[in-house]
Amino acid sequence: MVEWMCGAAGMDRWRALAVDGLSGRVVEVGFGSGLNLPHYPSDVDVVLAVEPAATARRLAERRIRESSVRVEHVGLDGQDIPLDDASCDAALFTFTLCTVPDPARALREVRRVLRPGGAVHFLEHGLSPDPGVAKWQRRIEPVQRRLADGCHLTRDSPALVERAGFVMRRSEQRYVRGPKPWSWFTIGVAVKPADGTP
Ligand SMILES: C[S@@+](CC[C@H](N)C(=O)[O-])C[C@H]1O[C@@H](n2cnc3c(N)ncnc32)[C@H](O)[C@@H]1O
């Protein structure tokens, strides 16, 4: 279902924007079925995939075979990433901060594995700034979570990213086509400060 929803026509443009500028060793949290893979720039040496769902990992196999980018599945939980401190150049979340049980913890882990100055790129749907839409998001969320693998509608991704100690470099928010509770999108890039702040 996630493959069908997240692979919807029209998402490709967003995915291409989300991966733009990634390079080197990239940890992708919630790799899913590899829908970002065709968009990765050639500057990326390896994608370190973190994904708990066996079905998603199986669906990703063909995309990995056909990709020119090397992919290593390194772990099952973005909240506990089995990589060394400061061992990655960049990180990517797409439609994953909505689903990870504890997004603050996942972002702390990503901050740990990123080198100083490393960037986290993210593309997420989330809490609408319109009170009327937000009210519906709160109402629908319990059903959404059950039907869509734990996906929340009311998470505020840019706030989560900044609270985890990243400095926002760019972010854009707007409604995309579709029902409003699901279509308030944020795309952004934030960096881990290079000043040694823990
Ligand atoms: C809505 S899907 C998005 C998949 C993919 N990022 C994409 O854009 O197509 C959410 C993904 O987060 C994964 N996920 C859930 N809990 C996770 C966790 N604790 N750590 C890492 N990934 C997780 C799910 O298995 C699923 O693949």
Side-chain angles (χ1 to χ4, degrees):
M1 190 168 98
V2 168
E3 159 90 4
W4 171 67
M5 283 165 58
C6 291
M11 280 305 156
D12 276 356
R13 193 176 67 84
W14 285 94
R15 291 182 185 281
L17 285 173
V19 303
D20 187 38
L22 290 171
S23 63
R25 282 167 61 83
V26 179
V27 57
E28 181 173 346
V29 180
F31 181 78
S33 56
L35 287 167
N36 293 318
L37 213 42
H39 305 286
Y40 268 103
S42 56
D43 287 348
V44 171
D45 298 325
V46 61
V47 174
L48 305 164
V50 180
E51 173 55 53
T55 306
R57 294 200 304 275
R58 187 175 50 71
L59 286 170
E61 282 169 9
R62 182 182 53 80
R63 289 195 180 96
I64 292 172
R65 266 197 315 274
E66 290 172 359
S67 171
S68 54
V69 179
R70 189 157 61 89
V71 178
E72 288 172 21
H73 271 106
V74 295
L76 302 176
D77 186 358
Q79 303 162 132
D80 189 9
I81 303 174
L83 292 173
D84 291 340
D85 294 0
S87 59
C88 298
D89 298 299
L92 176 67
F93 290 89
T94 61
F95 310 114
T96 296
L97 287 170
C98 55
T99 302
V100 185
D102 185 343
R105 192 173 145 197
L107 283 160
R108 275 200 305 277
E109 267 299 84
V110 159
R111 198 179 149 173
R112 179 184 66 75
V113 302
L114 276 185
R115 64 166 168 78
V120 56
H121 291 218
F122 62 99
L123 167 63
E124 297 285 338
H125 66 91
L127 182 65
S128 164
D130 301 320
V133 178
K135 188 173 84 181
W136 274 105
Q137 289 180 313
R138 288 192 192 93
R139 279 188 186 160
I140 300 164
E141 186 164 80
V143 179
Q144 164 84 8
R145 284 173 62 184
R146 275 199 296 279
L147 293 181
D149 195 27
C151 173
H152 294 68
L153 295 174
T154 61
R155 288 189 174 163
D156 183 345
S157 302
L160 284 164
V161 168
E162 286 187 314
R163 253 182 255 137
F166 290 96
V167 178
M168 202 63 72
R169 278 285 180 262
R170 59 173 197 262
S171 82
E172 187 194 329
Q173 295 188 293
R174 65 178 171 91
Y175 287 110
V176 297
R177 197 136 40 104
K180 286 195 165 176
W182 289 271
S183 55
W184 178 251
F185 272 28
T186 303
I187 186 163
V189 176
V191 297
K192 172 175 170 171
D195 62 4
T197 315

